[in-house]
Amino acid sequence: MSSAVLWRTLTAGWLLLASVLPGAADDKLDKVSFGTNWVAEAEHGGFFQALADGTYKRYGLDVTIVPGGPSVNNRTLLIAGKLDFFMCANTLQSFDAVANNVPVVTVAAIFQKDPQVLLAHPDSNVTKLADLKPMTLFISKEGIASYFQWLKSEHGFSAQRVKPYTFNPQPFLYDRNSAMQGYVTSEPFAIEKQAGFKPTVLLLADYGLSGYSTLIETRRELTETKPGLVQRFVDASVIGWYTYLYGDNKAGNDMIKQLNPEMTDEQLTYSIDKMKQHGIVDSGDTLRNGIGAMSDTRIAEFFDKMSRAGAIRRDLDFRKSYTLQFTNKAVGIDLRPRQ
């Protein structure tokens, strides 16, 4: 019996025991807190789904999700011990934690592809990434320090073409010979609604930006002192993501809309469709190892790219940024619809 099959068998047995002993299960729920890095949205949907439909509870967890926002720093709360888990944005941030001796570790990667895109006007004749080189690029300060360094190193982009992106699309809409950063799940929808046209969308992951995104991060000491708790949170979150993408996600979406009243059903549907269309959550290694999968080879390759680009020190021990102990177990893989 493979380790993945054994794990699924043991998990199924635990859930069956909990179902026949409901009082015991309720009495022994472990309280867990999880902080996201932004306000509630479809990009966090699997976590809200696992909470709303009782998946976390079935795994013995009493979970509180603490949404992030422009004035909320949930990672600081994680480090201070006020939260147990945090939704880290991407692999580069995990590397940065090691560089700054922050005692956190990534235990799963929910997004197999970084959703970062560059948007262009549909009449600009842009069909590939190289077509953007002569254009003005609206990129945020964080983007300049991260993925734009890779664009310079791997694709020959020039910093002289960059102007600050302040999360206001108006400069992009005014300049038809420009491109703007965004997420494939969000900004294209906003542009279409605001400006009345569908922008050309270039997903940087399709051109070699190979880092993971939407990572589950926790303090290293928690993985050492309570590995079973960490495992249950990871597994339940993965189940939540399978249900959110492929099952009845009404409970998760209702919770998102309750926490974020500005969120619409149309936006949620768009974001979910784009996550599925581009394989943001479920593609590559997840087809065999399940949602949340990570690999040593891929992380090493991404580190090599970003260190050559100057975005991270080449002498960094990047292997301290993650562990494969809690993922790659094919948990929930049977919930993916058969082709």
Side-chain angles (χ1 to χ4, degrees):
M1 180 181 293
S2 70
S3 60
V5 173
L6 176 61
W7 180 258
R8 289 201 299 272
T9 302
L10 292 173
T11 299
W14 187 92
L15 291 174
L16 179 60
L17 180 62
S19 69
V20 298
L21 298 172
D26 288 346
D27 292 342
K28 296 183 179 180
L29 296 179
D30 293 309
K31 291 186 179 298
V32 170
S33 54
F34 172 63
T36 69
N37 59 10
W38 194 244
V39 296
E41 56 188 358
E43 291 86 338
H44 311 163
F47 302 112
F48 288 111
Q49 181 69 33
L51 178 58
D53 70 9
T55 297
Y56 283 133
K57 188 176 181 179
R58 290 193 295 275
Y59 275 75
L61 302 174
D62 178 7
V63 174
T64 298
I65 297 180
V66 182
S71 58
V72 179
N73 190 337
N74 276 336
R75 198 184 206 190
T76 298
L77 296 179
L78 171 71
I79 297 167
K82 303 297 184 181
L83 295 174
D84 300 302
F85 298 92
F86 172 65
M87 192 179 75
C88 180
N90 53 52
T91 304
L92 193 60
Q93 285 193 0
S94 296
F95 293 164
D96 187 64
V98 177
N100 289 284
N101 296 313
V102 178
V104 295
V105 61
T106 292
V107 294
I110 299 301
F111 282 12
Q112 293 298 294
K113 294 183 181 180
D114 194 312
Q116 191 72 58
V117 296
L118 289 173
L119 310 179
H121 287 259
D123 57 359
S124 62
N125 296 320
V126 169
T127 61
K128 57 185 182 299
L129 190 62
D131 294 337
L132 300 178
K133 288 183 182 181
M135 293 184 170
T136 298
L137 302 178
F138 292 104
I139 296 178
S140 68
K141 179 175 66 175
E142 294 78 11
I144 292 171
S146 58
Y147 72 84
F148 186 72
Q149 300 306 309
W150 165 80
L151 284 174
K152 288 198 302 181
S153 173
E154 296 284 326
H155 295 278
F157 278 72
S158 171
Q160 295 179 345
R161 296 287 182 180
V162 175
K163 289 186 178 181
Y165 175 57
T166 60
F167 299 90
N168 176 1
Q170 288 303 320
F172 164 71
L173 295 177
Y174 177 78
D175 184 354
R176 305 180 77 84
N177 193 41
S178 69
M180 182 189 88
Q181 76 170 46
Y183 273 6
V184 71
T185 50
S186 180
E187 275 74 12
F189 177 85
I191 292 296
E192 184 175 351
K193 286 299 178 183
Q194 182 172 344
F197 66 83
K198 291 185 178 182
T200 299
V201 180
L202 300 178
L203 183 66
L204 298 187
D206 291 340
Y207 293 88
L209 187 66
S210 55
Y212 298 114
S213 181
T214 308
L215 315 173
I216 299 178
E217 187 177 74
T218 189
R219 293 182 304 282
R220 186 172 296 278
E221 59 89 11
L222 194 62
T223 67
E224 297 168 350
T225 60
K226 297 183 178 180
L229 178 72
V230 175
Q231 188 70 70
R232 282 185 285 135
F233 182 77
V234 170
D235 290 351
S237 299
V238 166
I239 296 296
W241 272 103
Y242 275 113
T243 304
Y244 190 69
L245 289 177
Y246 304 121
D248 181 359
N249 57 21
K250 184 179 185 302
N253 282 337
D254 285 348
M255 183 172 286
I256 290 171
K257 289 185 291 183
Q258 181 180 1
L259 292 169
N260 181 7
E262 295 183 2
M263 184 58 62
T264 66
D265 288 327
E266 188 179 11
Q267 172 72 78
L268 289 167
T269 297
Y270 178 91
S271 298
I272 294 167
D273 286 347
K274 292 304 177 183
M275 283 191 282
K276 293 165 72 172
Q277 176 186 338
H278 293 281
I280 298 298
V281 177
D282 195 13
S283 63
D285 289 339
T286 70
L287 302 181
R288 178 180 65 258
N289 297 330
I291 288 175
M294 297 188 292
S295 79
D296 292 322
T297 299
R298 182 167 163 184
I299 294 175
E301 289 175 348
F302 182 68
F303 173 77
D304 184 60
K305 289 179 183 179
M306 300 311 290
S307 61
R308 281 190 283 111
I312 199 73
R313 297 195 329 258
R314 289 196 65 84
D315 63 347
L316 183 75
D317 188 359
F318 69 91
R319 293 173 182 82
K320 291 182 178 179
S321 69
Y322 71 99
T323 175
L324 302 183
Q325 178 181 351
F326 304 100
T327 193
N328 298 342
K329 301 179 186 295
V331 171
I333 201 167
D334 55 319
L335 298 176
R336 182 192 300 120
R338 294 183 179 180
Q339 298 296 327

